[in-house]
Amino acid sequence: MSEEVQEDQEAPGAGIPLVFGRLLKRLRVQAGLERAELGRRTGYSAATITSYEVGRRIPNAKFIQQADGVLDAGGMLVDFIEDMEKAQYPPFFQDAAKLEKEAVGWHVYDALVINGLLQTEDYARTVFTMRRPLLDEATIEQRVTARLARQEIFQRKSAPTMSFVMEEALLRKGWGGPPTMRGQLEQILIIGQRRNVEIQIMPNAREEHAGLDGPITLIETANGRRLAYVEAHKHSRLLTDRKAVRDAEEQYGILRAQALHPRESLAFVEKLLGET
């Protein structure tokens, strides 16, 4: 089957990924390259190149930069990098994702699911698979890839100061089965050893709790902006009003005081790991 016929049988994407895909195909054809050859030069399969060209998958920045060079695009593909990165995320998270890349401080309280920056691939896939309404397989893989890519924040040279407070109940969930949860607990222990990261567990037995309003993220940017991000049922708000942010900071400070100390928290996670 020719690649053109095969393409006609694929379900095309929409928006920016589709525009990028059409440009990628045009440049590839002008360069006289088959998909397999472009894939060989960039380290991807012909099937992956097809997915990029019909907008079904979103390429990462590395591929875009490589393809721009191979196809002598003069920066036309590179210009899409920021928009393609935004397209990886659901609309309600796009603003927060951009801020995450610029943050010098990132502090999170989670009550519903282990934070995406701490998730393993198996745990993330389990979370997206359980989503209702159901996500199609391509979207699940796209979201998993984007979530794991966010964890590059831990490799930044100027590493941000980060803290995570999470409910004990999240660590006791059986989502994905014992192997998935064991891997997730191990991941938390590994990341918790980083000098710029503090992880704290909020015990189920606490009689007082300042976080009954739900998950919250506090953000500080390099230029000194302080913001708060709150999310609930596919909707989010980015709080910039100083009083609202101050209230969120006060709430988070009390949460940290109520939770286990970071060393106690890692010891608690290690104990759970031994029981899993």
Side-chain angles (χ1 to χ4, degrees), residues 94-265:
Q94 289 178 0
D95 289 340
K98 182 178 180 180
L99 287 168
E100 188 176 80
K101 292 178 175 296
E102 307 167 356
V104 297
W106 191 265
H107 308 282
V108 188
Y109 164 64
D110 287 298
L112 304 176
V113 66
I114 292 172
N115 192 266
L117 289 174
L118 302 176
Q119 290 178 12
T120 64
E121 180 175 348
D122 288 343
Y123 185 93
R125 184 169 287 106
T126 295
V127 169
F128 288 125
T129 300
M130 292 191 299
R131 185 72 57 85
R132 295 296 187 274
L134 290 170
L135 301 176
D136 60 73
E137 292 299 322
T139 300
I140 290 173
E141 292 308 310
Q142 172 187 315
R143 297 281 175 86
V144 170
T145 299
R147 181 151 292 182
L148 298 180
R150 288 174 55 205
Q151 296 175 8
E152 293 177 0
I153 192 172
F154 295 116
Q155 310 301 327
R156 278 170 35 184
K157 288 185 177 180
S158 299
T161 300
M162 308 178 75
S163 65
F164 300 86
V165 178
M166 70 185 77
E167 294 294 326
E168 173 188 341
L170 299 181
L171 306 179
R172 296 188 179 277
K173 300 289 187 182
W175 295 345
T180 294
M181 287 308 300
R182 278 198 298 271
Q184 183 58 69
L185 293 175
E186 290 172 351
Q187 172 103 321
I188 290 172
L189 285 173
I190 291 171
I191 295 178
Q193 299 295 330
R194 292 181 173 274
R195 293 176 56 208
N196 64 310
V197 177
E198 291 188 334
I199 294 176
Q200 293 180 254
I201 309 302
M202 178 69 76
N204 291 338
R206 282 292 187 261
E207 296 182 357
E208 295 184 349
H209 197 303
L212 300 183
D213 292 337
I216 190 168
T217 300
L218 299 176
I219 307 161
E220 183 176 359
T221 65
N223 62 5
R225 292 181 68 201
R226 301 173 79 94
L227 310 100
Y229 172 79
V230 294
E231 179 184 325
H233 195 61
K234 301 182 183 178
H235 296 281
S236 67
R237 288 183 300 155
L238 192 61
L239 307 179
T240 58
D241 175 74
R242 187 63 198 123
K243 182 181 185 306
V245 174
R246 189 184 302 112
D247 289 346
E249 291 173 338
E250 180 179 335
Q251 181 184 25
Y252 188 73
I254 296 172
L255 277 169
R256 294 198 67 181
Q258 292 170 335
L260 295 176
H261 183 277
R263 290 182 184 174
E264 294 175 324
S265 296

Side-chain angles (χ1 to χ4, degrees), residues 23-99:
L23 177 59
L24 176 66
K25 179 182 178 181
R26 178 180 298 177
L27 292 170
R28 175 182 62 77
V29 172
Q30 288 177 351
L33 297 181
E34 298 291 330
R35 288 186 177 122
E37 178 60 17
L38 177 58
R40 186 187 67 78
R41 296 193 187 185
T42 56
Y44 295 83
S45 68
T48 298
I49 302 301
T50 298
S51 294
Y52 291 159
E53 290 188 351
V54 299
R56 193 173 61 251
R57 291 183 60 183
I58 297 177
N60 57 32
K62 180 181 178 182
F63 169 81
I64 295 174
Q65 291 167 341
Q66 290 175 321
D68 194 277
V70 170
L71 300 176
D72 194 23
M76 284 191 291
L77 295 178
V78 170
D79 287 343
F80 277 84
I81 288 179
E82 183 175 349
D83 288 332
M84 295 295 275
E85 287 180 344
K86 287 180 63 177
Q88 295 181 90
Y89 306 109
F92 64 85
F93 186 70
Q94 289 178 0
D95 289 340
K98 182 178 180 180
L99 287 168

